[in-house]
Amino acid sequence: MKQLILIILSLFFFSCSSQTENKFNLDFETYDSTYKFPKDWFEWGDYNLSADTIYVHSGKFSGKIKSTKKGGSFGSIAYKIPANYKGKSIQLEGYMKIKNVENGFGGLLLRLDGNGKVLAFDNMENQNINGTKDWHKYSITLPYPEDAETIFIAGIMTGTGEAWFDDFILTIDGKDVQTLIEIEKPIYKATLDNEFDLGSKIKFPTLDETLISHLELLGKIWGFLKYNHPEVCKGNYNWDYELFRMLPKYLETKSKLERDQTLLQWISKYVEIDKCTECKETSSEAFLKPDMSWFDEFELNSELKDKLKYIYNNRCQGKHFYIGKGAAGNPDFLNENYYYYMSYDDGGLKLLALYRYWNMINYFFPNKYLTDKNWNDVLKEYIPKFIDSKNKLEYELACIELIGEIDDTHATTSVGFNNVQKIRGQFYPPFSTQFIDDKLVVTDYYNPELKEVSKIEVGDIITHINGKSMKSIVDSISPYYPASNEAAKLRNISRDILRSNKKEISIDYISNNQEHKHSLSLYKKEDLNMRWYNFTDGKCYKMLDGNIGYITLKTITAADVPMIKDTFKNTKGIIIDIRNYPSTFVPFTLGSYFVSSSTPFVKFTNFKLDNPGEFTFTEPLEIPKGEETYKGKLVVLVNEISQSQAEYTTMAFRAGDDTTIVGSTTAGADGNVSSIYLPGGLLTNISGIGVYYPDGRETQRVGIIPDVKIKPTIEGIKQKKDELLEKAIEIINE
């Protein structure tokens, strides 16, 4: 939910009218009679928001959120404040009252944005505040990033129910923001350049091999200068627009000599670079090193090659306008224009999208060396695909195909790719499916009442859709489902393969060894219980027969951990189910229960800001020994749904004294996520740090390899067996 909210909030820009003397309506008392809402507050999400006069903590008004009938989304009453203040920490305090909040939570929200990114965020989700509670004071404290530009404060509710908020107070280093004096922030020259705000104005001639090669070279030099040239680093140039300025002349070049002279003239127009006294050579211990081999691949003249080498040897050091480091050391891509309203016959913007993405991956993707294709070869291949794309759909498909080349399950393509989503369809089957032994198998119904009309039984195998074999369909759409490995790719395809824009599709299926044809009715997403069909409202832990403890991380909270330790301390064994995404981060709080001494379990690679392309290993992290150590066996369940934090958590449990991992290969995408925006407002992500076992074994693409490999069988699904759980119990009882 937190990730979903982050993505949704990032899609919108809001303007709030400022009040005199820097006073903000944080107590909801100033009421806008025109909009019938607290003045300067605005709505996020799709719940019913209003000003309330019945339930207030003080004064006449509070902010109220009421869920829609079905719930399942979120609502937030929010306020925006410019981050024109200095400080080290920021705190939001406020009062909240909730009523009948179920399948979700209520909380305060504090978020700080800067350089087009979310820099700090908390919405109290991990406190799991639900049910019915009277007015109570809550608070959130976050570090105050130096480059923060905007502060968002809000009250938020997910699930079903009602929530009220009142009397917010925002402080920076303990001082009320209402009394603080604003500071002046620096203005970068790059932000004042607006020549191409309405488009690149670039028209491309017919592409041939020579022009494609010239454009490949330009893309590599453009990206090299973007991340290495000190003047670009300082924010003195809008580097997108500098590309558009030089392209018309460059497109006229015919020979290599003319090409190189045009490039030299372009580079020489920028301020001469001083000698760098701080620039260091790439560390001999670097795991990945900057790849400048392309300097020798284009037969550059010696003057141009020497110019590029000089820039690299005297490259930017320190703070950079276009790239920063996230809290975990992952890349933070800054000041990138989203070009929401781009025209799809604008060849310059389409080429920019390719250049931007290719260079971000080239310099800052820690797993570039693990891609199936040599990344150096990808740029040339995609130049005609991008420039020749005729409309938004073709452009989106080209972007997805390019994104798929990094072989990363974190590389999502759900936000902004609206035309692709429309093609995939607005209607869904009433049941979930899973590929088992390359067969598409029905695994469960979202709405049991639809089973009779659908006629399909759990365990049935779907072989054809609208007359096309399953293999031919999977082969045709596979390039448009980015993933680290085949298991994750098929997981994602299985969620979409039966979607359609028609309310009925024809399917061939096998049931009880008999072949059948059927017209399957499909339904809109909101009419299906897709999100909550397997939701359990009970505790995240329970005792199984035979004195065995069971824990699912899907709904675990921080408060559950001490209870789990106390409840299960004398059990024969514990099963931890991570065939899900953990609701709370527990590698250290719960992982320490299973080690008798501090044990290394992971190490990372991080990029070097002062030397783009260099990645070095961190020291291994350890699971510390806790106050007590569990004496029984630990079995951890994983499958292709186990991704990112789930994989990291599995690594932590693997460090235990007596741990067995049971299941199948996980999604192979670990490490903190970095977001990338492409022209057209397309949002995707990458795994931003490299994640390895202490001995250097990789987890990216490989996933977490189980000690005991077992997958569900079709027969087991028919009998509603959990074969992984049964195997775990068997291992504990051995």
Side-chain angles (χ1 to χ4, degrees):
M1 172 59 70
K2 184 179 290 187
Q3 185 179 8
L4 170 65
I5 294 169
L6 277 170
I7 292 173
I8 293 175
L9 302 192
S10 299
L11 290 178
F12 299 92
F13 294 91
F14 302 93
S15 61
C16 303
S17 58
S18 60
Q19 299 179 346
T20 59
E21 299 181 1
N22 200 30
K23 299 296 182 182
F24 306 107
N25 184 27
L26 304 190
D27 58 4
F28 299 88
E29 290 304 297
T30 305
Y31 181 73
D32 189 324
S33 57
T34 302
Y35 295 99
K36 302 187 185 306
F37 207 65
K39 183 175 173 58
D40 294 335
W41 289 82
F42 56 89
E43 303 178 42
W44 274 335
D46 55 6
Y47 285 1
N48 299 316
L49 278 71
S50 62
D52 195 71
T53 57
I54 299 175
Y55 295 109
V56 297
H57 179 258
S58 69
K60 295 180 180 180
F61 295 98
S62 67
K64 180 183 178 182
I65 303 173
K66 184 176 182 180
S67 66
T68 54
K69 185 176 180 181
K70 293 184 179 180
S73 185
F74 81 100
S76 185
I77 183 166
Y79 200 96
K80 174 183 176 183
I81 297 175
N84 297 332
Y85 309 98
K86 286 185 176 180
K88 293 185 177 179
S89 76
I90 183 168
Q91 182 181 67
L92 173 64
E93 297 177 294
Y95 287 85
M96 179 176 69
K97 170 187 174 74
I98 59 174
K99 180 179 179 181
N100 299 329
V101 174
E102 297 180 357
N103 298 330
F105 67 94
L108 309 187
L109 181 151
L110 178 60
R111 173 180 136 177
L112 293 98
D113 288 11
N115 296 314
K117 298 293 178 182
V118 177
L119 305 177
F121 177 80
D122 192 357
N123 63 0
M124 294 175 50
E125 180 182 9
N126 59 359
Q127 297 186 39
N128 199 30
I129 300 169
N130 51 37
T132 298
K133 292 180 171 57
D134 205 352
W135 288 108
H136 184 78
K137 187 177 183 179
Y138 299 92
S139 69
I140 294 173
T141 302
L142 293 173
Y144 187 82
E146 183 180 343
D147 50 350
E149 297 172 354
T150 308
I151 303 166
F152 290 103
I153 65 174
I156 185 170
M157 190 193 79
T158 70
T160 58
E162 297 174 277
W164 293 261
F165 302 89
D166 206 352
D167 293 331
F168 282 13
I169 297 174
L170 186 70
T171 58
I172 297 175
D173 291 347
K175 297 178 182 178
D176 194 327
V177 72
Q178 306 278 22
T179 66
L180 292 177
I181 299 174
E182 293 188 62
I183 61 171
E184 291 187 9
K185 294 204 168 184
I187 298 176
Y188 295 97
K189 292 179 182 178
T191 63
L192 303 177
D193 185 351
N194 58 11
E195 181 177 350
F196 298 97
D197 286 357
L198 299 180
S200 74
K201 307 172 187 176
I202 304 296
K203 298 295 182 183
F204 284 90
T206 302
L207 296 177
D208 56 26
E209 280 298 315
T210 298
L211 181 54
I212 291 172
S213 178
H214 286 183
L215 289 173
E216 178 190 10
L217 172 61
L218 176 61
K220 292 182 177 181
I221 290 180
W222 178 84
F224 170 79
L225 296 175
K226 178 177 181 177
Y227 293 119
N228 287 282
H229 198 295
E231 289 302 305
V232 182
C233 161
K234 294 173 186 174
N236 287 337
Y237 295 96
N238 182 324
W239 207 237
D240 293 358
Y241 292 1
E242 292 302 305
L243 173 66
F244 300 153
R245 288 189 178 98
M246 71 85 61
L247 257 175
K249 183 177 181 180
Y250 188 76
L251 290 173
E252 295 174 357
T253 60
K254 304 299 181 185
S255 66
K256 291 181 180 177
L257 174 62
E258 195 178 354
R259 176 200 70 185
D260 290 2
Q261 286 303 314
T262 302
L263 289 168
L264 270 170
Q265 290 171 10
W266 175 50
I267 296 170
S268 298
K269 82 177 243 189
Y270 303 108
V271 176
E272 190 64 32
I273 299 171
D274 294 330
K275 285 279 187 180
C276 177
T277 58
E278 300 174 3
C279 296
K280 298 178 180 178
E281 292 185 4
T282 302
S283 170
S284 60
E285 297 181 357
F287 179 67
L288 297 179
K289 300 178 181 181
D291 181 8
M292 307 300 179
S293 61
W294 56 271
F295 283 11
D296 301 314
E297 294 172 359
F298 290 89
E299 299 178 3
L300 304 181
N301 69 37
S302 58
E303 187 180 0
L304 178 55
K305 191 183 297 185
D306 289 345
K307 189 78 169 177
L308 295 174
K309 289 179 179 177
Y310 179 84
I311 292 171
Y312 173 71
N313 291 331
N314 299 281
R315 63 192 175 274
C316 171
Q317 300 291 289
K319 188 175 181 181
H320 200 297
F321 184 69
Y322 285 109
I323 186 72
K325 273 203 171 188
N330 54 307
D332 198 1
F333 300 107
L334 310 175
N335 295 303
E336 299 288 359
N337 193 329
Y338 299 168
Y339 301 102
Y340 276 113
Y341 304 110
M342 72 177 280
S343 170
Y344 293 92
D345 61 0
D346 189 329
L349 279 172
K350 290 185 288 186
L351 184 66
L352 171 66
L354 175 59
Y355 282 3
R356 179 187 290 182
Y357 188 82
W358 187 88
N359 282 287
M360 286 174 169
I361 300 302
N362 190 53
Y363 292 106
F364 304 111
F365 183 45
N367 306 302
K368 182 184 71 170
Y369 73 103
L370 291 173
T371 59
D372 287 342
K373 288 182 183 175
N374 184 325
W375 191 247
N376 258 333
D377 300 334
V378 170
L379 181 57
K380 183 177 182 179
E381 177 186 345
Y382 277 82
I383 288 171
K385 291 185 180 182
F386 271 73
I387 292 177
D388 292 342
S389 60
K390 297 180 180 61
N391 50 48
K392 188 173 190 293
L393 175 61
E394 289 188 12
Y395 170 72
E396 287 180 15
L397 290 171
C399 287
I400 294 178
E401 197 173 355
L402 173 66
I403 290 165
E405 299 288 9
I406 71 169
D407 301 307
D408 185 358
T409 310
H410 272 145
T412 54
T413 57
S414 56
V415 176
F417 295 84
N418 301 330
N419 285 48
V420 170
Q421 291 300 325
K422 287 177 184 177
I423 291 295
R424 287 175 179 170
Q426 60 177 315
F427 297 105
Y428 293 76
F431 46 72
S432 60
T433 58
Q434 180 181 350
F435 280 98
I436 298 174
D437 296 330
D438 295 325
K439 297 179 178 67
L440 187 68
V441 180
V442 177
T443 56
D444 201 358
Y445 270 84
Y446 302 126
N447 298 55
E449 67 272 15
L450 296 176
K451 183 176 180 180
E452 184 174 344
V453 66
S454 297
K455 297 183 180 179
I456 311 296
E457 296 290 335
V458 170
D460 286 355
I461 302 167
I462 299 173
T463 60
H464 293 74
I465 302 172
N466 293 329
K468 295 182 179 179
S469 71
M470 199 57 57
K471 184 180 185 307
S472 67
I473 296 173
V474 171
D475 288 346
S476 66
I477 65 177
S478 184
Y480 305 105
Y481 284 85
S484 302
N485 53 41
E486 191 68 10
K489 184 182 288 285
L490 290 176
R491 176 200 73 185
N492 294 342
I493 288 175
S494 71
R495 296 167 178 172
D496 282 346
I497 199 164
L498 291 167
R499 284 173 63 178
S500 175
N501 280 312
K502 296 182 179 179
K503 292 184 178 181
E504 282 191 357
I505 58 173
S506 171
I507 62 170
D508 293 21
Y509 67 99
I510 297 173
S511 182
N512 295 322
N513 297 318
Q514 298 292 315
E515 295 183 358
H516 302 270
K517 287 184 178 293
H518 178 53
S519 291
L520 177 68
S521 296
L522 305 181
Y523 304 85
K524 286 197 171 182
K525 203 170 189 177
E526 56 265 29
D527 295 329
L528 295 172
N529 194 26
M530 295 179 73
R531 184 174 179 189
W532 301 106
Y533 77 99
N534 60 356
F535 180 81
T536 54
D537 200 21
K539 292 180 179 179
C540 70
Y541 60 95
K542 61 183 177 182
M543 191 73 75
L544 303 179
D545 293 341
N547 195 29
I548 296 172
Y550 171 85
I551 307 164
T552 174
L553 298 194
K554 185 176 183 179
T555 55
I556 194 170
T557 67
D560 290 325
V561 174
M563 298 295 295
I564 287 169
K565 292 178 181 178
D566 183 63
T567 303
F568 292 160
K569 61 184 177 182
N570 294 319
T571 54
K572 184 190 300 184
I574 294 176
I575 299 167
I576 299 181
D577 195 339
I578 323 184
R579 294 172 293 178
N580 49 57
Y581 191 86
S583 60
T584 300
F585 187 75
V586 296
F588 298 99
T589 55
L590 188 54
S592 61
Y593 189 46
F594 301 103
V595 296
S596 56
S597 61
S598 294
T599 307
F601 77 104
V602 68
K603 65 180 180 180
F604 311 111
T605 56
N606 291 143
F607 78 96
K608 292 290 186 181
L609 185 63
D610 292 340
N611 191 17
E614 179 181 346
F615 284 80
T616 55
F617 274 113
T618 64
E619 291 297 318
L621 282 183
E622 294 185 347
I623 296 295
K625 179 186 181 303
E627 294 181 0
E628 54 182 332
T629 302
Y630 182 66
K631 303 300 182 183
K633 296 179 180 179
L634 172 64
V635 179
V636 179
L637 306 182
V638 297
N639 63 6
E640 69 278 4
I641 296 173
S642 310
Q643 179 174 324
S644 196
Q645 187 187 137
E647 294 176 289
Y648 184 81
T649 305
T650 303
M651 294 173 72
F653 290 139
R654 176 164 257 167
D657 294 353
D658 191 357
T659 302
T660 303
I661 311 295
V662 171
S664 55
T665 302
T666 59
D670 206 346
N672 293 62
V673 168
S674 293
S675 295
I676 293 174
Y677 270 99
L678 298 177
L682 308 184
L683 173 64
T684 186
N685 301 302
I686 61 171
S687 301
I689 60 175
V691 180
Y692 301 80
Y693 288 102
D695 61 6
R697 283 178 295 144
E698 292 153 346
T699 62
Q700 187 74 11
R701 302 203 66 186
V702 178
I704 307 302
I705 300 175
D707 303 306
V708 178
K709 294 182 181 180
I710 181 172
K711 294 182 179 181
T713 64
I714 297 174
E715 192 59 37
I717 287 173
K718 287 181 179 179
Q719 298 177 21
K720 297 185 178 180
K721 287 184 176 182
D722 188 338
E723 291 159 293
L724 275 69
L725 181 61
E726 290 179 357
K727 187 64 178 179
I729 293 171
E730 178 186 323
I731 290 170
I732 289 173
N733 284 327
E734 286 175 350

